């Protein structure tokens, strides 16, 4: 098959000192730069465009035997065909995609906190800090996901609410893993997943493993700080409860030089805790605007349930210790 010149519509022709528009073929069959007219090369690139310094610019590869390398890596066609709206209301698509985006952010944040916990077990504080800092940026993006839903009126939400049936965010397995890593353990939260053996097994494993905060306290103990033995030896499958001895440890850390690496660790954890608190409160406000005090779709108390969740403090002694520094 013969190859034809590829027109360049992106950049307007510009006159050159010789009077020939840049990027167009001169009467002699060459471009003003001396390059051959733009044609598609065997590798899928085009030539004929020149940069100000005279260097030839190549267009991206356009011809592939199968799917594009981008598709192979990102699986975009899978992601963009996962939406199955159950109503005719156009707002349901927004709700569905936003919820799926949140699930992806849960996944990457859980990955970061697993990375941080593993690094702490290996006394690798730089890797821990990098993972925590990345997770803070990711939490900010997660929280921004509320924007499309934050101003729903009851009428707008009711237009497709029945499509959710008994579905509710508290049934999210990935969000449950995120909460477990924060120390919010509860065996009862495995019950909704009994019908999905793989998911149930993953959650059961996450329930019995030390949380991110457990690993932080074990790391501080190895650094010589007086973390109470009862905290270090506690059953990690139980919800973490504040301890006065841990509060004193953070008080000691924060009473030292503010550039100390343990102070920086405390601040990275505090940033995570604050962003989680903001997530819970944004969820509460969005729900209150959309449905008031009605019962939640999953049978929960709705706003009352979310108010209770929003009142819980993540990494509690990091906050109370500040009163004593």
């Amino acid at each position: 098959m013969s190859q034809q010149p590829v027109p360049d519509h992106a950049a307007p022709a510009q006159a050159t000192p010789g009077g020939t528009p840049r990027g167009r073929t001169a009467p002699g069959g060459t471009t003003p730069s001396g390059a051959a007219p733009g044609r598609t090369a065997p590798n899928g690139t085009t030539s004929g465009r020149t940069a100000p310094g005279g260097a030839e610019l190549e267009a991206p590869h356009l011809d592939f035997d199968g799917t594009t390398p981008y598709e192979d890596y990102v699986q975009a066609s899978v992601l963009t065909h996962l939406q199955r709206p159950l109503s005719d209301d156009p707002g349901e698509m927004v709700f569905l995609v936003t919820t799926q985006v949140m699930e992806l952010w849960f996944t990457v944040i859980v990955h970061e906190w697993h990375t941080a916990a593993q690094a702490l077990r290996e006394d690798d504080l730089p890797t821990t800090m990098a993972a925590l800092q990345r997770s803070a940026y990711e939490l900010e993006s997660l929280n921004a996901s509320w924007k499309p839903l934050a101003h729903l009126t009851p009428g707008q939400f009711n237009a497709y609410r029945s499509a959710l049936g008994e579905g509710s965010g508290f049934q999210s397995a990935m969000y449950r893993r995120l909460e477990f890593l924060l120390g919010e353990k509860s065996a009862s939260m495995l019950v909704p997943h009994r019908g999905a053996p793989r998911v149930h097994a993953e959650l059961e494993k996450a329930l019995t493993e030390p949380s991110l905060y457990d690993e932080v306290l074990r790391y501080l103990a190895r650094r010589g700080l007086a973390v109470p033995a009862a905290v270090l030896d506690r059953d990690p499958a139980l919800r973490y409860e504040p301890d006065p001895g841990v509060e004193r440890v953070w008080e000691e850390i924060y009473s030292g030089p503010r550039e100390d690496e343990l102070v920086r660790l405390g601040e990275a954890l505090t940033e995570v805790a604050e962003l989680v608190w903001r997530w819970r409160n944004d969820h509460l406000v969005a729900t209150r605007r959309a449905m008031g005090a009605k019962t939640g779709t999953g049978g929960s108390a709705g706003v009352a349930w979310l108010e209770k969740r929003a009142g819980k403090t993540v990494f509690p002694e990091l906050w109370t210790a500040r009163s004593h520094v």
Side-chain angles (χ1 to χ4, degrees):
M1 182 181 293
S2 62
Q3 295 171 320
Q4 300 298 321
V6 178
D8 182 4
H9 300 296
Q14 300 175 2
T16 63
T20 305
R22 187 181 303 278
R24 294 184 181 173
T25 306
T30 61
T31 62
S33 65
R39 295 181 180 273
T40 303
N43 65 359
T45 64
T46 59
S47 60
R49 296 174 58 192
T50 56
E56 185 176 290
L57 297 177
E58 291 190 350
H61 294 188
L62 302 175
D63 190 12
F64 300 96
D65 291 334
T67 56
T68 66
Y70 176 84
E71 171 61 31
D72 294 341
Y73 183 70
V74 177
Q75 297 289 295
S77 64
V78 175
L79 291 173
T80 55
H81 288 78
L82 290 174
Q83 296 73 43
R84 301 287 188 271
L86 299 178
S87 76
D88 295 329
D89 188 89
E92 187 190 352
M93 187 66 166
V94 179
F95 183 89
L96 188 53
V97 170
T98 300
T99 304
Q100 290 174 339
V101 167
M102 289 178 177
E103 286 289 331
L104 292 174
W105 282 124
F106 296 156
T107 301
V108 73
I109 291 165
V110 166
H111 168 75
E112 299 287 21
W113 292 350
H114 274 301
T115 299
Q118 178 61 37
L120 283 167
R121 286 191 287 272
E122 297 170 359
D123 294 334
D124 182 357
L125 190 56
T127 297
T128 296
M129 292 294 293
L132 290 175
Q133 288 162 356
R134 286 194 303 269
S135 78
Y137 302 140
E138 292 147 9
L139 280 162
E140 289 176 350
S141 297
L142 168 66
N143 293 357
S145 301
W146 281 116
K147 276 290 185 182
L149 308 179
H151 298 88
L152 285 175
T153 66
Q156 290 169 328
F157 185 46
N158 287 340
Y160 56 82
R161 187 188 181 198
S162 61
L164 277 66
E166 291 190 277
S168 178
F170 80 82
Q171 299 161 6
S172 165
M174 193 56 70
Y175 182 70
R176 192 56 48 206
R177 289 176 63 179
L178 184 150
E179 289 273 0
F180 283 179
L181 277 165
L182 293 173
E184 283 291 327
K185 302 289 188 76
S186 174
S188 65
M189 299 310 293
L190 273 63
V191 174
H193 306 283
R194 287 180 299 184
R198 179 183 62 81
V199 172
H200 187 274
E202 290 173 350
L203 281 173
E204 191 171 41
K205 182 173 182 289
L207 178 72
T208 57
E209 290 178 337
S211 70
L212 172 61
Y213 197 48
D214 288 329
E215 296 295 357
V216 168
L217 298 179
R218 292 177 181 187
Y219 173 77
L220 294 179
R222 291 194 299 275
R223 291 285 298 261
L225 289 144
V227 180
V231 173
L232 298 173
D233 298 334
R234 76 181 198 88
D235 182 355
L238 299 178
R239 177 181 288 109
Y240 180 83
E241 299 294 342
D243 186 278
V246 173
E247 182 183 88
R248 287 191 291 272
V249 166
W250 285 116
E251 179 185 349
E252 178 183 347
I253 290 170
Y254 273 94
S255 297
R258 62 182 180 181
E259 295 304 318
D260 185 84
E261 62 182 7
L262 295 184
V263 174
R264 293 200 300 271
L265 172 61
E267 287 300 276
L269 292 166
T270 303
E271 184 74 7
V272 165
E274 179 180 334
L275 289 166
V276 170
W277 177 80
R278 292 184 184 279
W279 155 264
R280 292 172 176 172
N281 276 273
D282 287 351
H283 188 182
L284 169 62
V285 172
T287 302
R288 182 178 283 152
R289 290 189 68 145
M291 54 179 277
K294 291 196 289 283
T295 301
T297 51
S300 74
V303 165
W305 165 271
L306 294 174
E307 284 175 337
K308 181 180 178 181
R309 302 295 300 167
K312 293 182 177 294
T313 303
V314 178
F315 313 144
E317 298 93 345
L318 268 167
W319 299 94
T320 58
R322 296 166 193 269
S323 301
H324 308 292
V325 176

